[in-house]
Amino acid sequence: MEPPLRKLRLLTAGPVDVDDAVLAALAEPTLPHYGPPWMPAYESTIFLLHELFETDHDVLVMPGPGTGALDTGIGSMIPPGSTICVPANGYFAERVVQMVEAYDIHAARVDFPWGSAVDPDTLRRFLLDEIPRAQAEGRPVRAIAVVHHETSTGILNPLEEIGRIARELDLALIVDAVASLGGTRLPVDAWGVDFCVSVPNKCIGAPPGVAMVTVSPRAWQMADANPARHGWYHDLRTWAWYRKYEQEWHPYPTTLPTNVIVALRKALSIILHDKGIEQHRAEIQLAAQHVREGMDEFGFKMFPDPLHAAPMLSAFHSRPGVDTADMSHFLLDERGLMISGGLGNLKGKMFRIGHMGGAASQELVEAFLTGVGDYLKSKNGH
Ligand SMILES: *Cc1c(COP(=O)(O)O)cnc(C)c1O
């Protein structure tokens, strides 16, 4: 018998604490990923995802991380040698730039300081210059790829306005909504998102293992017209083929982690039907408010621009006189609470408290604030 995993409570930027009812769904007997025993469970999951994404576009469930699905969308839709505009204001936007360049696509980056939001007017002005320039250089701009909730800084980027710009300038819109879907509104069709990626293990509060993706008719057409092919599994055309020719048996090319999807379905049905999406978002918002008020009393300043701070995560500057790494170790070792540090250049300079999954509960918020208070007292003097 292996030793039990120690009981941890997660207040991280993801993955998140999973509700017992969802964990119980995960433990149901494993189903095959094809045929009549499985398809009703799959189809009802897809139905719930349409509701959450507010979309009539096609919805895929792709095994693997969010990054893998984003990789698939970028490589499938955009030909090498053309251009994707990437508004860059955090660690995950930098990752998008790397993905774009890995396909020999030109990344036209528009930089904003980490901790501030993408400014739509600056983005639009940049594109009005860049589109004719890129065209003249034979590397046409095809898309904007943006991170909705930039978890590295706690910023919620103004996706609705960015969508308006994409439509005005006739560009496709590719969105990393990994840490936003479920925590804030994301009406995919109304905001004109062509390829949108999220995961279960952030604002939905389910275990990791798949990405959920929306694909617009335009995104499918772009993939069809792309002369380049990067592999088989990571090509949207492969997914389109299975949707067309294996519709009844398994409209996707490979095995799915069926237990993970059953757990996702349970979490979605709790959020959308038992609790209601408004209540789900209100709980996240309330947790954020309590953590921010408590931390303000302890003298910690918010990292992001407060006008654009995402409700699902609170990022704080480190405070003079407090060793953030030591405080994190105290919370972990003494209280079993795990928080997230700074990513990339922000390592050691800030820390992040998630309000997603179980971390939205008042119980966990109180345990966290009590833990920080006790730590500061133990160092006597804040
Ligand atoms: C967590 C996170 C990711 C990484 O997701 P994976 O599923 O590990 O690929 C990407 N983008 C954002 C904004 C995230 O918060």
Side-chain angles (χ1 to χ4, degrees):
M1 184 85 177
E2 302 203 0
L5 293 172
R6 55 177 292 198
K7 181 67 184 153
L8 256 190
R9 304 300 303 274
L10 302 175
L11 293 122
T12 55
V16 298
D17 253 20
V18 176
D19 193 84
D20 287 343
V22 176
L23 287 178
L26 185 68
E28 285 183 25
T30 298
L31 289 168
H33 64 281
Y34 43 74
W38 167 247
M39 286 317 284
Y42 172 76
E43 278 164 4
S44 57
T45 309
I46 297 294
F47 184 84
L48 292 167
L49 286 169
H50 277 281
E51 189 176 336
L52 191 58
F53 276 115
E54 299 182 44
T55 192
D56 290 329
H57 297 167
D58 290 325
V59 172
L60 314 180
V61 175
M62 304 180 83
T67 303
L70 212 49
D71 213 328
T72 302
I74 292 169
S76 299
M77 288 165 63
I78 313 294
S82 55
T83 298
I84 300 183
C85 174
V86 185
N89 61 342
Y91 178 91
F92 289 105
E94 291 302 323
R95 181 181 284 185
V96 171
V97 169
Q98 289 183 9
M99 270 189 260
V100 165
E101 291 178 342
Y103 287 111
D104 292 323
I105 299 163
H106 182 80
R109 45 184 308 150
V110 194
D111 283 276
F112 300 92
W114 288 29
S116 61
V118 171
D119 174 47
D121 290 336
T122 307
L123 175 65
R124 184 171 174 277
R125 266 182 278 121
F126 171 84
L127 280 164
L128 289 175
D129 284 347
E130 173 68 5
I131 289 170
R133 182 169 53 225
Q135 189 71 38
E137 289 172 7
R139 48 168 189 90
V141 183
R142 307 267 191 201
I144 300 173
V146 68
V147 178
H148 188 198
H149 168 204
E150 177 53 81
T151 26
S152 64
T153 63
I155 279 286
L156 191 65
N157 282 316
L159 187 58
E160 184 175 9
E161 283 89 336
I162 295 168
R164 229 175 266 137
I165 294 167
R167 264 168 302 165
E168 177 200 339
L169 303 177
D170 195 28
L171 301 174
L173 182 59
I174 298 172
V175 177
D176 171 345
V178 166
S180 61
L181 181 74
T184 191
R185 262 198 92 209
L186 175 47
V188 161
D189 297 10
W191 290 0
V193 183
D194 292 291
F195 191 84
C196 190
V197 173
S198 195
V199 300
N201 49 289
K202 304 246 175 162
C203 304
I204 294 165
V210 292
M212 301 90 77
V213 180
T214 70
V215 189
S216 73
R218 177 185 185 144
W220 286 122
Q221 283 156 16
M222 288 173 82
D224 236 9
N226 187 351
R229 262 200 111 128
H230 310 286
W232 183 85
Y233 177 80
H234 287 292
D235 187 327
L236 280 179
R237 279 168 288 199
T238 302
W239 291 74
W241 193 93
Y242 277 83
R243 290 177 70 77
K244 190 160 175 193
Y245 297 107
E246 288 286 359
Q247 198 178 1
E248 316 253 294
W249 190 248
H250 61 87
Y252 29 80
T254 64
T255 306
L256 299 183
T258 49
N259 295 70
V260 168
I261 293 171
V262 168
L264 168 62
R265 181 177 67 155
K266 182 68 185 174
L268 290 169
S269 114
I270 292 172
I271 292 172
L272 292 168
H273 298 154
D274 301 352
K275 201 155 58 164
I277 188 67
E278 297 304 330
Q279 175 63 21
H280 181 69
R281 289 184 194 139
E283 285 170 15
I284 292 173
Q285 194 116 36
L286 192 66
Q289 189 190 326
H290 286 170
V291 165
R292 288 168 198 183
E293 285 167 4
M295 293 301 274
D296 185 60
E297 283 178 26
F298 293 135
F300 289 99
K301 298 270 167 278
M302 286 279 285
F303 184 87
D305 172 359
L307 283 178
H308 297 278
M312 315 75 138
L313 178 134
S314 299
F316 298 98
H317 287 283
S318 298
R319 212 194 77 177
V322 178
D323 177 345
T324 303
D326 190 53
M327 183 172 82
S328 300
H329 286 139
F330 171 87
L331 291 170
L332 185 61
D333 298 341
E334 305 295 326
R335 304 295 158 94
L337 303 174
M338 191 170 193
I339 64 172
S340 294
L343 291 174
N345 295 336
L346 296 175
K347 197 162 185 224
K349 298 188 180 137
M350 52 98 86
F351 57 96
R352 301 170 299 144
I353 314 302
H355 312 304
M356 305 173 279
S361 73
Q362 284 308 303
E363 175 214 346
L364 215 47
V365 167
E366 271 157 36
F368 166 71
L369 289 173
T370 304
V372 174
D374 290 349
Y375 173 78
L376 294 175
K377 258 181 251 150
S378 78
K379 297 284 149 189
N380 76 75
H382 50 282

